[in-house]
């Protein structure tokens, strides 16, 4: 009997310790990083979009043996706010991009410097971006696009982005965009769900363990409702935000009425819509 009691007590303690370990791991997973700077890197000129085949990994440090900063040289890769900009990388379904710097961070401190960041990274389907630095964000740092037959998901972990005139991450396709263990400074928005794409989707975003320096507009922008022009009236985005750290008074979660191409998405001020779309944990 004594042995049975001791074993039961031991199992109870093991369950308690296991629970504490899980809680500690969760806390670490959501901890916002300290401010980061761009790694020292060697400039490499890029003349066309780098296509990363499906299911493969493009690792800058492994490829070059050191950190490189890729700088677009043609006019459509200069990193302006022109919609005609092409991406530095095209990630096909299942591809991973890691350990590289995009854009020339030495040109100044403004957000319209045309520093060769192109239109960042385009993800088609399911992709991972790991430990990537945008020294000077061009049109966008990364964009999630729809791939037929695939539920899209872009996972961004580690790294940092600087000097974005508008948003850092743009969500145009369906599915989910995940941002974790990330730092951004001097940016308009960290994330924006497309307000007027020709094909609209009810999207999901997860922001976990992110620190922002200077934030110029808002942290996250979602469509908390969609109008009749969107094609998905009655649906809405959901952004789940955990441990998002920054100073200042800029809004953590801006809400809009998503619409169709050619229309301007107005603000959504409906309190119940805001509550369902901006989830803070």
């Amino acid at each position: 009997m004594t042995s049975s009691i001791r074993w039961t007590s031991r199992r109870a303690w093991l369950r308690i310790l296991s629970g504490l370990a899980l809680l500690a791991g969760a806390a670490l997973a959501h901890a916002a990083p300290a401010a980061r700077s761009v790694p020292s890197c060697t400039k490499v000129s890029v003349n066309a979009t780098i296509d990363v085949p499906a299911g493969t990994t493009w690792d800058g440090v492994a490829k070059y043996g050191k950190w490189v900063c890729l700088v677009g040289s043609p006019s459509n890769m200069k990193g302006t706010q022109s919609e005609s900009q092409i991406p530095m990388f095209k990630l096909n379904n299942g591809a991973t991009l890691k350990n590289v710097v995009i854009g020339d961070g030495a040109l100044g401190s403004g957000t319209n410097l045309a520093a060769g960041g192109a239109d960042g990274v385009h993800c088609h389907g399911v992709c991972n971006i790991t430990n990537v630095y945008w020294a000077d964000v061009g049109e966008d740092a990364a964009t999630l696009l729809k791939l037929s037959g695939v539920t899209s998901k872009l996972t961004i972990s580690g790294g940092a982005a600087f000097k974005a005139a508008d948003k850092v991450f743009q969500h145009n396709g369906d599915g989910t965009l995940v941002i974790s263990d990330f730092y951004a400074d001097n940016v308009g928005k960290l994330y924006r769900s497309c307000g007027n794409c020709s094909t609209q989707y009810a999207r999901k975003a997860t922001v976990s363990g992110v620190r922002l320096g200077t934030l110029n507009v808002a942290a996250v922008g979602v469509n908390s409702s969609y109008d009749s022009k969107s094609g998905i009236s009655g649906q809405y985005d959901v952004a789940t935000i955990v441990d998002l750290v920054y100073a200042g008074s800029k809004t953590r979660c801006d809400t809009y009425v998503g619409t169709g191409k050619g229309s301007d998405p107005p603000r959504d001020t409906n309190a119940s819509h805001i509550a369902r779309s901006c989830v803070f944990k």
Side-chain angles (χ1 to χ4, degrees):
M1 179 66 71
T2 303
S3 176
S4 176
I5 292 171
R6 285 176 178 170
W7 176 240
T8 300
S9 177
R10 184 179 300 166
R11 282 188 298 182
W13 274 108
L14 287 172
R15 284 196 296 270
I16 291 169
L17 290 172
S18 177
L20 289 172
L22 286 172
L23 287 172
L28 287 173
H30 296 311
R36 289 173 175 156
S37 58
V38 177
S40 178
C41 55
T42 301
K43 292 180 187 178
V44 174
S45 180
V46 178
N47 297 310
T49 298
I50 300 168
D51 191 283
V52 183
T56 68
T57 296
W58 196 99
D59 184 331
V61 172
K63 179 177 176 63
Y64 289 95
K66 58 185 176 181
W67 278 92
V68 296
C69 48
L70 304 181
V71 181
S73 56
S75 59
N76 62 354
M77 297 186 77
K78 285 294 185 183
T80 67
Q81 293 301 298
S82 169
E83 293 293 336
S84 65
Q85 294 287 291
I86 63 173
M88 181 72 71
F89 286 95
K90 176 188 176 186
L91 303 184
N92 292 283
N93 191 41
T96 295
L97 174 67
K98 62 193 302 185
N99 301 331
V100 68
V101 178
I102 297 174
D104 184 352
L107 295 186
S109 58
T111 57
N112 288 292
L113 299 172
D119 194 27
V121 182
H122 286 190
C123 166
H124 296 257
V126 178
C127 315
N128 295 291
I129 299 177
T130 305
N131 206 32
V132 170
Y133 288 77
W134 290 265
D136 190 313
V137 175
E139 169 64 11
D140 297 310
T143 303
L144 177 56
L145 300 164
K146 175 63 178 173
L147 179 65
S148 180
V150 175
T151 300
S152 305
K153 184 176 183 180
L154 173 56
T155 302
I156 299 148
S157 56
F162 303 87
K163 296 180 281 187
D166 193 3
K167 63 276 181 193
V168 177
F169 300 119
Q170 176 72 25
H171 196 164
N172 288 353
D174 64 339
T176 304
L177 197 151
V178 178
I179 309 164
S180 66
D181 184 28
F182 196 77
Y183 177 73
D185 183 38
N186 196 12
V187 301
K189 290 186 179 76
L190 175 70
Y191 166 90
R192 178 68 169 107
S193 171
C194 183
N196 57 0
C197 281
S198 55
T199 302
Q200 287 287 39
Y201 306 93
R203 305 176 180 96
K204 294 183 180 179
T206 300
V207 177
S208 172
V210 171
R211 184 178 299 276
L212 305 176
T214 299
L215 179 65
N216 298 318
V217 180
V220 169
V222 294
N223 303 311
S224 48
S225 61
Y226 284 91
D227 68 15
S228 59
K229 297 177 183 178
S230 69
I232 57 169
S233 179
Q235 299 187 51
Y236 56 92
D237 300 336
V238 176
T240 303
I241 301 170
V242 185
D243 196 14
L244 171 63
V245 178
Y246 64 97
S249 59
K250 300 301 182 183
T251 310
R252 287 190 294 172
C253 188
D254 266 353
T255 50
Y256 300 85
V257 179
T259 187
K261 187 174 182 179
S263 300
D264 191 33
R267 291 294 183 96
D268 189 348
T269 58
N270 184 301
S272 64
H273 291 178
I274 295 170
R276 73 189 183 185
S277 287
C278 300
V279 180
F280 300 98
K281 291 187 177 181

PDB file of all heavy atoms in Angstrom, residues 86-112:
ATOM      1  N   ILE A  86       9.058  43.723 -59.528  1.00  0.00           N
ATOM      2  CA  ILE A  86       9.025  42.260 -59.504  1.00  0.00           C
ATOM      3  C   ILE A  86       9.735  41.778 -58.241  1.00  0.00           C
ATOM      4  O   ILE A  86      10.518  42.510 -57.625  1.00  0.00           O
ATOM      5  CB  ILE A  86       9.691  41.668 -60.760  1.00  0.00           C
ATOM      6  CG1 ILE A  86      11.180  42.044 -60.821  1.00  0.00           C
ATOM      7  CG2 ILE A  86       8.955  42.130 -62.015  1.00  0.00           C
ATOM      8  CD1 ILE A  86      11.938  41.347 -61.959  1.00  0.00           C
ATOM      9  N   PRO A  87       9.478  40.543 -57.819  1.00  0.00           N
ATOM     10  CA  PRO A  87      10.087  40.077 -56.573  1.00  0.00           C
ATOM     11  C   PRO A  87      11.566  39.726 -56.702  1.00  0.00           C
ATOM     12  O   PRO A  87      12.044  39.384 -57.787  1.00  0.00           O
ATOM     13  CB  PRO A  87       9.271  38.831 -56.228  1.00  0.00           C
ATOM     14  CG  PRO A  87       8.796  38.326 -57.550  1.00  0.00           C
ATOM     15  CD  PRO A  87       8.529  39.568 -58.374  1.00  0.00           C
ATOM     16  N   MET A  88      12.265  39.800 -55.594  1.00  0.00           N
ATOM     17  CA  MET A  88      13.643  39.308 -55.537  1.00  0.00           C
ATOM     18  C   MET A  88      13.640  37.776 -55.571  1.00  0.00           C
ATOM     19  O   MET A  88      14.470  37.147 -56.227  1.00  0.00           O
ATOM     20  CB  MET A  88      14.316  39.793 -54.256  1.00  0.00           C
ATOM     21  CG  MET A  88      15.762  39.373 -54.086  1.00  0.00           C
ATOM     22  SD  MET A  88      16.870  40.248 -55.211  1.00  0.00           S
ATOM     23  CE  MET A  88      16.860  41.899 -54.497  1.00  0.00           C
ATOM     24  N   PHE A  89      12.669  37.177 -54.852  1.00  0.00           N
ATOM     25  CA  PHE A  89      12.527  35.716 -54.816  1.00  0.00           C
ATOM     26  C   PHE A  89      11.093  35.321 -55.123  1.00  0.00           C
ATOM     27  O   PHE A  89      10.148  35.963 -54.667  1.00  0.00           O
ATOM     28  CB  PHE A  89      12.869  35.166 -53.420  1.00  0.00           C
ATOM     29  CG  PHE A  89      14.326  35.148 -53.089  1.00  0.00           C
ATOM     30  CD1 PHE A  89      14.899  36.202 -52.394  1.00  0.00           C
ATOM     31  CD2 PHE A  89      15.129  34.069 -53.445  1.00  0.00           C
ATOM     32  CE1 PHE A  89      16.248  36.192 -52.071  1.00  0.00           C
ATOM     33  CE2 PHE A  89      16.479  34.050 -53.123  1.00  0.00           C
ATOM     34  CZ  PHE A  89      17.044  35.120 -52.440  1.00  0.00           C
ATOM     35  N   LYS A  90      10.951  34.239 -55.894  1.00  0.00           N
ATOM     36  CA  LYS A  90       9.668  33.565 -56.028  1.00  0.00           C
ATOM     37  C   LYS A  90       9.808  32.207 -55.350  1.00  0.00           C
ATOM     38  O   LYS A  90      10.602  31.362 -55.797  1.00  0.00           O
ATOM     39  CB  LYS A  90       9.280  33.377 -57.495  1.00  0.00           C
ATOM     40  CG  LYS A  90       7.984  32.586 -57.656  1.00  0.00           C
ATOM     41  CD  LYS A  90       7.693  32.229 -59.109  1.00  0.00           C
ATOM     42  CE  LYS A  90       6.443  31.363 -59.210  1.00  0.00           C
ATOM     43  NZ  LYS A  90       6.208  30.888 -60.596  1.00  0.00           N
ATOM     44  N   LEU A  91       9.038  32.001 -54.270  1.00  0.00           N
ATOM     45  CA  LEU A  91       9.061  30.724 -53.566  1.00  0.00           C
ATOM     46  C   LEU A  91       7.889  29.887 -54.057  1.00  0.00           C
ATOM     47  O   LEU A  91       6.726  30.258 -53.882  1.00  0.00           O
ATOM     48  CB  LEU A  91       8.945  30.933 -52.053  1.00  0.00           C
ATOM     49  CG  LEU A  91      10.001  31.825 -51.383  1.00  0.00           C
ATOM     50  CD1 LEU A  91       9.789  31.846 -49.875  1.00  0.00           C
ATOM     51  CD2 LEU A  91      11.410  31.371 -51.726  1.00  0.00           C
ATOM     52  N   ASN A  92       8.194  28.761 -54.655  1.00  0.00           N
ATOM     53  CA  ASN A  92       7.148  27.849 -55.083  1.00  0.00           C
ATOM     54  C   ASN A  92       6.704  26.969 -53.915  1.00  0.00           C
ATOM     55  O   ASN A  92       7.348  26.934 -52.866  1.00  0.00           O
ATOM     56  CB  ASN A  92       7.643  27.018 -56.269  1.00  0.00           C
ATOM     57  CG  ASN A  92       7.849  27.869 -57.508  1.00  0.00           C
ATOM     58  OD1 ASN A  92       6.906  28.242 -58.179  1.00  0.00           O
ATOM     59  ND2 ASN A  92       9.106  28.205 -57.792  1.00  0.00           N
ATOM     60  N   ASN A  93       5.611  26.273 -54.103  1.00  0.00           N
ATOM     61  CA  ASN A  93       4.974  25.548 -53.002  1.00  0.00           C
ATOM     62  C   ASN A  93       5.951  24.626 -52.263  1.00  0.00           C
ATOM     63  O   ASN A  93       6.621  23.789 -52.874  1.00  0.00           O
ATOM     64  CB  ASN A  93       3.808  24.726 -53.563  1.00  0.00           C
ATOM     65  CG  ASN A  93       2.932  24.159 -52.464  1.00  0.00           C
ATOM     66  OD1 ASN A  93       2.641  24.817 -51.474  1.00  0.00           O
ATOM     67  ND2 ASN A  93       2.508  22.919 -52.644  1.00  0.00           N
ATOM     68  N   GLY A  94       6.029  24.805 -50.948  1.00  0.00           N
ATOM     69  CA  GLY A  94       6.903  23.982 -50.118  1.00  0.00           C
ATOM     70  C   GLY A  94       8.329  24.483 -50.016  1.00  0.00           C
ATOM     71  O   GLY A  94       9.181  23.826 -49.388  1.00  0.00           O
ATOM     72  N   ALA A  95       8.648  25.642 -50.607  1.00  0.00           N
ATOM     73  CA  ALA A  95      10.017  26.165 -50.595  1.00  0.00           C
ATOM     74  C   ALA A  95      10.315  26.930 -49.309  1.00  0.00           C
ATOM     75  O   ALA A  95       9.415  27.446 -48.638  1.00  0.00           O
ATOM     76  CB  ALA A  95      10.245  27.071 -51.800  1.00  0.00           C
ATOM     77  N   THR A  96      11.611  27.021 -49.009  1.00  0.00           N
ATOM     78  CA  THR A  96      12.091  27.756 -47.835  1.00  0.00           C
ATOM     79  C   THR A  96      13.207  28.708 -48.265  1.00  0.00           C
ATOM     80  O   THR A  96      14.089  28.338 -49.044  1.00  0.00           O
ATOM     81  CB  THR A  96      12.643  26.787 -46.766  1.00  0.00           C
ATOM     82  OG1 THR A  96      11.577  25.962 -46.276  1.00  0.00           O
ATOM     83  CG2 THR A  96      13.269  27.552 -45.594  1.00  0.00           C
ATOM     84  N   LEU A  97      13.149  29.923 -47.736  1.00  0.00           N
ATOM     85  CA  LEU A  97      14.207  30.917 -47.926  1.00  0.00           C
ATOM     86  C   LEU A  97      14.791  31.243 -46.575  1.00  0.00           C
ATOM     87  O   LEU A  97      14.047  31.488 -45.612  1.00  0.00           O
ATOM     88  CB  LEU A  97      13.638  32.183 -48.568  1.00  0.00           C
ATOM     89  CG  LEU A  97      14.595  33.371 -48.703  1.00  0.00           C
ATOM     90  CD1 LEU A  97      15.708  33.053 -49.696  1.00  0.00           C
ATOM     91  CD2 LEU A  97      13.837  34.628 -49.127  1.00  0.00           C
ATOM     92  N   LYS A  98      16.151  31.278 -46.485  1.00  0.00           N
ATOM     93  CA  LYS A  98      16.749  31.544 -45.172  1.00  0.00           C
ATOM     94  C   LYS A  98      18.115  32.221 -45.303  1.00  0.00           C
ATOM     95  O   LYS A  98      18.778  32.131 -46.335  1.00  0.00           O
ATOM     96  CB  LYS A  98      16.867  30.249 -44.370  1.00  0.00           C
ATOM     97  CG  LYS A  98      17.762  29.190 -44.988  1.00  0.00           C
ATOM     98  CD  LYS A  98      17.604  27.804 -44.337  1.00  0.00           C
ATOM     99  CE  LYS A  98      17.879  27.804 -42.857  1.00  0.00           C
ATOM    100  NZ  LYS A  98      17.834  26.434 -42.287  1.00  0.00           N
ATOM    101  N   ASN A  99      18.494  32.903 -44.239  1.00  0.00           N
ATOM    102  CA  ASN A  99      19.854  33.420 -44.041  1.00  0.00           C
ATOM    103  C   ASN A  99      20.359  34.308 -45.178  1.00  0.00           C
ATOM    104  O   ASN A  99      21.393  34.051 -45.801  1.00  0.00           O
ATOM    105  CB  ASN A  99      20.845  32.259 -43.832  1.00  0.00           C
ATOM    106  CG  ASN A  99      20.492  31.407 -42.635  1.00  0.00           C
ATOM    107  OD1 ASN A  99      19.903  31.880 -41.667  1.00  0.00           O
ATOM    108  ND2 ASN A  99      20.848  30.134 -42.688  1.00  0.00           N
ATOM    109  N   VAL A 100      19.624  35.390 -45.451  1.00  0.00           N
ATOM    110  CA  VAL A 100      20.049  36.316 -46.485  1.00  0.00           C
ATOM    111  C   VAL A 100      19.511  37.705 -46.155  1.00  0.00           C
ATOM    112  O   VAL A 100      18.527  37.847 -45.416  1.00  0.00           O
ATOM    113  CB  VAL A 100      19.551  35.853 -47.886  1.00  0.00           C
ATOM    114  CG1 VAL A 100      18.038  35.957 -48.007  1.00  0.00           C
ATOM    115  CG2 VAL A 100      20.254  36.603 -49.006  1.00  0.00           C
ATOM    116  N   VAL A 101      20.173  38.729 -46.702  1.00  0.00           N
ATOM    117  CA  VAL A 101      19.725  40.121 -46.559  1.00  0.00           C
ATOM    118  C   VAL A 101      19.224  40.596 -47.912  1.00  0.00           C
ATOM    119  O   VAL A 101      19.850  40.326 -48.945  1.00  0.00           O
ATOM    120  CB  VAL A 101      20.870  41.032 -46.074  1.00  0.00           C
ATOM    121  CG1 VAL A 101      20.408  42.484 -45.983  1.00  0.00           C
ATOM    122  CG2 VAL A 101      21.412  40.551 -44.733  1.00  0.00           C
ATOM    123  N   ILE A 102      18.092  41.296 -47.916  1.00  0.00           N
ATOM    124  CA  ILE A 102      17.515  41.832 -49.146  1.00  0.00           C
ATOM    125  C   ILE A 102      17.556  43.357 -49.095  1.00  0.00           C
ATOM    126  O   ILE A 102      17.065  43.964 -48.142  1.00  0.00           O
ATOM    127  CB  ILE A 102      16.078  41.335 -49.338  1.00  0.00           C
ATOM    128  CG1 ILE A 102      16.070  39.802 -49.504  1.00  0.00           C
ATOM    129  CG2 ILE A 102      15.415  42.005 -50.537  1.00  0.00           C
ATOM    130  CD1 ILE A 102      14.686  39.196 -49.568  1.00  0.00           C
ATOM    131  N   GLY A 103      18.142  43.974 -50.117  1.00  0.00           N
ATOM    132  CA  GLY A 103      18.225  45.428 -50.190  1.00  0.00           C
ATOM    133  C   GLY A 103      19.504  45.976 -49.590  1.00  0.00           C
ATOM    134  O   GLY A 103      20.208  45.313 -48.829  1.00  0.00           O
ATOM    135  N   ASP A 104      19.803  47.216 -49.956  1.00  0.00           N
ATOM    136  CA  ASP A 104      21.008  47.907 -49.486  1.00  0.00           C
ATOM    137  C   ASP A 104      20.627  48.832 -48.332  1.00  0.00           C
ATOM    138  O   ASP A 104      19.965  49.849 -48.535  1.00  0.00           O
ATOM    139  CB  ASP A 104      21.613  48.701 -50.642  1.00  0.00           C
ATOM    140  CG  ASP A 104      22.930  49.366 -50.275  1.00  0.00           C
ATOM    141  OD1 ASP A 104      23.304  49.340 -49.087  1.00  0.00           O
ATOM    142  OD2 ASP A 104      23.575  49.923 -51.181  1.00  0.00           O
ATOM    143  N   GLY A 105      21.056  48.484 -47.145  1.00  0.00           N
ATOM    144  CA  GLY A 105      20.695  49.266 -45.967  1.00  0.00           C
ATOM    145  C   GLY A 105      21.569  50.477 -45.725  1.00  0.00           C
ATOM    146  O   GLY A 105      21.343  51.210 -44.757  1.00  0.00           O
ATOM    147  N   ALA A 106      22.544  50.732 -46.606  1.00  0.00           N
ATOM    148  CA  ALA A 106      23.514  51.801 -46.360  1.00  0.00           C
ATOM    149  C   ALA A 106      23.158  53.118 -47.041  1.00  0.00           C
ATOM    150  O   ALA A 106      23.929  54.066 -46.982  1.00  0.00           O
ATOM    151  CB  ALA A 106      24.895  51.342 -46.838  1.00  0.00           C
ATOM    152  N   LEU A 107      22.005  53.202 -47.671  1.00  0.00           N
ATOM    153  CA  LEU A 107      21.693  54.390 -48.475  1.00  0.00           C
ATOM    154  C   LEU A 107      21.077  55.540 -47.684  1.00  0.00           C
ATOM    155  O   LEU A 107      20.961  56.634 -48.214  1.00  0.00           O
ATOM    156  CB  LEU A 107      20.744  54.000 -49.618  1.00  0.00           C
ATOM    157  CG  LEU A 107      21.320  53.032 -50.651  1.00  0.00           C
ATOM    158  CD1 LEU A 107      20.335  52.839 -51.794  1.00  0.00           C
ATOM    159  CD2 LEU A 107      22.658  53.523 -51.193  1.00  0.00           C
ATOM    160  N   GLY A 108      20.671  55.308 -46.459  1.00  0.00           N
ATOM    161  CA  GLY A 108      20.070  56.376 -45.674  1.00  0.00           C
ATOM    162  C   GLY A 108      19.019  55.849 -44.730  1.00  0.00           C
ATOM    163  O   GLY A 108      18.848  54.636 -44.574  1.00  0.00           O
ATOM    164  N   SER A 109      18.277  56.772 -44.110  1.00  0.00           N
ATOM    165  CA  SER A 109      17.319  56.378 -43.084  1.00  0.00           C
ATOM    166  C   SER A 109      15.865  56.548 -43.514  1.00  0.00           C
ATOM    167  O   SER A 109      14.956  56.220 -42.764  1.00  0.00           O
ATOM    168  CB  SER A 109      17.558  57.195 -41.810  1.00  0.00           C
ATOM    169  OG  SER A 109      17.458  58.579 -42.091  1.00  0.00           O
ATOM    170  N   GLY A 110      15.611  57.074 -44.701  1.00  0.00           N
ATOM    171  CA  GLY A 110      14.244  57.277 -45.156  1.00  0.00           C
ATOM    172  C   GLY A 110      13.568  55.987 -45.564  1.00  0.00           C
ATOM    173  O   GLY A 110      14.163  54.905 -45.524  1.00  0.00           O
ATOM    174  N   THR A 111      12.307  56.111 -46.009  1.00  0.00           N
ATOM    175  CA  THR A 111      11.574  54.909 -46.403  1.00  0.00           C
ATOM    176  C   THR A 111      11.266  54.870 -47.896  1.00  0.00           C
ATOM    177  O   THR A 111      10.532  54.015 -48.353  1.00  0.00           O
ATOM    178  CB  THR A 111      10.248  54.807 -45.618  1.00  0.00           C
ATOM    179  OG1 THR A 111       9.476  55.984 -45.839  1.00  0.00           O
ATOM    180  CG2 THR A 111      10.504  54.620 -44.129  1.00  0.00           C
ATOM    181  N   ASN A 112      11.815  55.770 -48.678  1.00  0.00           N
ATOM    182  CA  ASN A 112      11.620  55.775 -50.133  1.00  0.00           C
ATOM    183  C   ASN A 112      12.971  55.935 -50.839  1.00  0.00           C
ATOM    184  O   ASN A 112      13.157  56.816 -51.671  1.00  0.00           O
ATOM    185  CB  ASN A 112      10.673  56.907 -50.544  1.00  0.00           C
ATOM    186  CG  ASN A 112       9.238  56.632 -50.141  1.00  0.00           C
ATOM    187  OD1 ASN A 112       8.592  55.743 -50.673  1.00  0.00           O
ATOM    188  ND2 ASN A 112       8.741  57.392 -49.186  1.00  0.00           N
TER     189      ASN A 112
END
